[in-house]
Amino acid sequence: MKTANFLAPVLLAGTFLMGCSKDAPTPAPTPTASTIKVTVSEAGAPVYDLNEARVVDGGYLTGSPRLSITGKLGSGKTMVLNFTKGSATTNYTTNALTGTLDGVTGTNFTGTTTYDPQTKLVNGDFRATFPVVGEVVGTFANIQF
């Protein structure tokens, strides 16, 4: 009888704990819809729209223009591009570019952006080389600010 009195609470507690450990399966992440259109080409391949493209940061009204965009290449690797004023001579243009692909810094960056204060739209282009994928070339137009 003492064994039954001891086992019953233990089994009840074990059942309770086992029932709590059955978490619902983690759903697969849903891709984020692009909020801007950026077209890219990797290593001379056909042009396609960058996946999950969006503006991370930007500003053109302070005299220090800047734009950061991100998106995923066809391989699923995340590219981040950071445009800054550099040696540009106008307040509405950038011509310095840095960036990463899945956290790895690329090389051979060239790129510009131009902001139109009348329409409040930004247009730009870029070229960069990243390990594994090679040269990535792209353009974007009509990003609203």
Side-chain angles (χ1 to χ4, degrees):
M1 191 69 157
K2 286 185 178 186
T3 304
N5 287 340
F6 173 75
L7 277 178
V10 169
L11 289 173
L12 183 60
T15 302
F16 176 73
L17 290 174
M18 292 298 289
C20 291
S21 69
K22 292 184 182 178
D23 295 329
T26 304
T30 304
T32 305
S34 292
T35 57
I36 60 173
K37 182 175 181 175
V38 179
T39 57
V40 295
S41 172
E42 298 176 53
V47 173
Y48 66 92
D49 289 345
L50 189 65
N51 298 313
E52 300 182 30
R54 63 185 173 87
V55 172
V56 177
D57 182 45
Y60 285 84
L61 301 179
T62 64
S64 297
R66 71 192 187 290
L67 176 66
S68 294
I69 61 175
T70 185
K72 291 190 177 186
L73 297 178
S75 63
K77 295 180 181 293
T78 300
M79 180 173 63
V80 178
L81 299 173
N82 301 299
F83 297 85
T84 55
K85 184 170 183 171
S87 63
T89 57
T90 72
N91 289 337
Y92 303 122
T93 303
T94 68
N95 67 0
L97 176 61
T98 59
T100 61
L101 185 64
D102 273 356
V104 177
T105 302
T107 59
N108 303 322
F109 288 102
T110 60
T112 61
T113 68
T114 303
Y115 172 75
D116 182 335
Q118 300 296 322
T119 63
K120 297 183 169 54
L121 297 175
V122 176
N123 299 311
D125 59 71
F126 60 90
R127 179 180 304 267
T129 303
F130 295 103
V132 181
V133 299
E135 186 177 62
V136 178
V137 178
T139 62
F140 49 89
N142 301 326
I143 296 176
Q144 182 72 51
F145 266 82

